Amino acid sequence: MKESNLTEGSVAKTLLVFAVPFLIANVLQSLYGAVDLFVVGRYCTAKSVAAVSTGTQVTQIVTSLITGLTLGSTIVIGQYKGAGQLERVRQTIGTTLSIFVVVALMLTALMLGFERPLLTLLNTPQESFELTMQYVAVCSAGNIFICGYNAISAILRGYGDSTRPMIFVGVACVLNIALDFVFVAWFGMGVAGTALATVISQAVSMATAIAYLRKKDFIFDFKPAGMKPVGAIAKRLAVVGIPISLQEMMVRISFLYLMTVMNGCGVYAAAVVGISSKYDVFAMLCATSTANALTAITAQNMGAGKPARAKRSLWYGMGFAVFVAVLFWLWAQISPESMIGVFTDDARVIEAGVPFFRSCSYDYIMVALVFCLNGYLNGRQKTVLTMISCSGGALLLRIPLVWLFGRLYADDLGMLGRIAPLVSGIMACYTLAYVMIEGRRHEAK
């Protein structure tokens, strides 16, 4: 297995070598999500685009919950690996996988049972309601594969291997793109076809990962006998992972509320938010990848007793993430029409989207700062702190501002687009202040 020692060598080189596979994996993962919308936009109607847009926001609730829990595994495995406790690493992997089987089944039951009330609560446009139901139902049926796929990647990254997850994501990406065109363009399955393509691709990727790792004699053999939860480790995973899941959930709920307000403005506004969310993902890919890399790097270095090295990794990471975010911000300022036109040629969607893209694109830069700072703090197991920060930003800032702006500027998408960068900017300021103050306090000791 090709794992990296994240506690030795040049800080900048270690960060870059470990983060680049993260970035490529996230690009691939975002690409096949964007292709869903692209194919639907080219071969289906505007209401299908709105259905995928809204449906994606709903399924991202599940993804956010899973991501938080898996990141907890990355942190705990990273710390045990940094401390050289390999038996604990094996026990953590077995505990993680056993927990995620239960989580997947629970999430599937909840999503299928409460799908209609949730879509009604989100003010889903009536024209696209049934299509959105189809999308969410198919994706929910595949939660077991989504959980397994994300859990294995998180385990590998905590162990110091960011290359293999990139390869497994690549398998899912290629297959998803091919199936999108087969199901939607050739078979005319529409929205359900895009969801089915996603589920099948993730199932194949998960199976490929397990088969490959067993063949290569990974530290864990993926046999049922090894998938026994260890109480103390399960508790530690919960303490670290649940706060991250909660913060992700709160942030997602706040964006769902924005989607609810935009849905009330009609199909075209809903389509704009859906397209914008795809660019949010791409523009923030570098920040997301760097933050995830910082979490693993910080966890291993804290486990090895090297906090200063972890701090230096943070500053390098922030500089890289902000640089890339500025490039996307420039594109949104200079030619937002070309960004929207990649996904649809509907003139009304493009016209509605231009002011929204210009204003919300400032969030690319603010989020780059927030993500990197939170990644560093998560690696130090300060997940309760990041949970309070992100949940507070979502519940005390974003949702009230969406409500206020929705009443004052219901027909002004440009003003609604200003909410996200305003909230992220405030969060960046107080999180950076905390890191700086805490750093000075430790240096003074």
Side-chain angles (χ1 to χ4, degrees):
M1 288 302 302
K2 186 183 178 181
E3 74 272 8
S4 300
N5 187 344
L6 306 178
T7 65
E8 301 291 343
S10 165
V11 172
K13 182 179 179 181
T14 299
L15 176 63
L16 186 63
V17 170
F18 192 66
V20 166
F22 263 106
L23 178 58
I24 295 173
N26 284 334
V27 168
L28 292 172
Q29 198 160 14
S30 301
L31 181 61
Y32 74 71
V35 168
D36 286 350
L37 197 61
F38 173 82
V39 173
V40 168
R42 293 300 171 187
Y43 295 99
C44 303
T45 62
K47 65 182 181 181
S48 296
V49 175
V52 173
S53 300
T54 304
T56 300
Q57 295 291 329
V58 174
T59 57
Q60 281 179 347
I61 295 177
V62 174
T63 303
S64 298
L65 177 61
I66 295 169
T67 299
L69 292 174
T70 54
L71 191 57
S73 298
T74 296
I75 294 167
V76 175
I77 290 171
Q79 291 186 333
Y80 283 139
K81 178 65 164 49
Q85 300 178 29
L86 297 186
E87 181 57 34
R88 284 293 191 180
V89 171
R90 292 188 189 91
Q91 293 174 342
T92 304
I93 294 172
T95 302
T96 295
L97 294 175
S98 61
I99 288 174
F100 269 82
V101 171
V102 177
V103 169
L105 295 176
M106 291 176 59
L107 287 174
T108 298
L110 287 171
M111 292 300 293
L112 292 176
F114 294 95
E115 177 186 9
R116 185 175 290 275
L118 179 58
L119 293 179
T120 301
L121 183 65
L122 292 175
N123 199 25
T124 304
Q126 196 59 41
E127 306 98 302
S128 61
F129 194 95
E130 292 304 319
L131 291 176
T132 309
M133 287 274 292
Q134 290 179 23
Y135 185 89
V136 174
V138 175
C139 288
S140 297
N143 279 338
I144 186 69
F145 305 120
I146 297 172
C147 282
Y149 165 85
N150 281 280
I152 292 171
S153 293
I155 288 165
L156 288 171
R157 287 163 178 162
Y159 197 65
D161 181 0
S162 60
T163 302
R164 300 304 189 271
M166 175 189 69
I167 295 172
F168 302 143
V169 169
V171 171
C173 178
V174 171
L175 184 58
N176 186 81
I177 291 172
L179 292 178
D180 267 338
F181 283 98
V182 170
F183 291 155
V184 179
W186 293 354
F187 293 165
M189 294 175 64
V191 168
T194 65
L196 185 60
T198 298
V199 170
I200 291 175
S201 65
Q202 291 178 334
V204 171
S205 179
M206 184 187 77
T208 302
I210 292 174
Y212 178 87
L213 293 173
R214 291 187 67 175
K215 182 179 179 181
K216 293 296 182 179
D217 295 325
F218 182 50
I219 190 173
F220 187 80
D221 60 12
F222 294 94
K223 292 180 180 179
M227 293 175 59
K228 294 179 180 178
V230 176
I233 293 178
K235 182 178 179 180
R236 186 173 181 186
L237 287 171
V239 169
V240 177
I242 288 177
I244 301 174
S245 290
L246 289 176
Q247 76 180 48
E248 294 287 342
M249 288 282 287
M250 292 301 102
V251 171
R252 185 52 46 197
I253 287 171
S254 69
F255 277 105
L256 282 175
Y257 183 58
L258 174 61
M259 173 63 80
T260 302
V261 172
M262 298 297 281
N263 281 343
C265 299
V267 168
Y268 299 110
V272 166
V273 173
I275 294 171
S276 173
S277 68
K278 297 302 180 186
Y279 276 106
D280 286 347
V281 172
F282 276 109
M284 298 171 190
L285 275 178
C286 183
T288 304
S289 305
T290 305
N292 289 335
L294 282 170
T295 297
I297 289 171
T298 302
Q300 280 203 20
N301 278 282
M302 295 302 291
K306 298 182 177 181
R309 179 181 172 85
K311 177 68 77 66
R312 289 199 302 273
S313 299
L314 169 62
W315 304 133
Y316 279 113
M318 286 176 63
F320 181 45
V322 169
F323 173 76
V324 175
V326 168
L327 298 180
F328 276 93
W329 171 79
L330 286 171
W331 185 13
Q333 298 304 308
I334 295 169
S335 182
E337 299 88 349
S338 65
M339 297 178 76
I340 304 167
V342 170
F343 291 98
T344 181
D345 55 6
D346 191 311
R348 286 171 291 187
V349 174
I350 294 173
E351 181 183 1
V354 167
F356 187 82
F357 267 67
R358 282 207 169 108
S359 57
C360 76
S361 60
Y362 286 89
D363 198 38
Y364 304 159
I365 301 170
M366 297 298 103
V367 161
L369 298 172
V370 174
F371 280 11
C372 289
L373 290 164
N374 284 345
Y376 166 76
L377 291 171
N378 285 335
R380 294 189 57 191
Q381 281 196 234
K382 294 185 177 294
T383 55
V384 173
L385 176 66
T386 58
M387 178 195 71
I388 293 171
S389 171
C390 292
S391 299
L395 299 178
L396 302 179
L397 293 174
R398 189 174 290 110
I399 288 179
L401 286 174
V402 169
W403 177 84
L404 179 62
F405 279 41
R407 286 178 172 270
L408 298 177
Y409 310 105
D411 299 322
D412 188 344
L413 297 190
M415 286 298 295
L416 292 174
R418 290 183 171 90
I419 297 171
L422 176 60
V423 173
S424 298
I426 294 172
M427 292 173 63
C429 288
Y430 63 65
T431 308
L432 180 60
Y434 172 82
V435 170
M436 297 291 288
I437 293 170
E438 187 200 40
R440 287 187 187 131
R441 186 168 59 245
H442 278 287
E443 289 171 3
K445 289 181 179 180

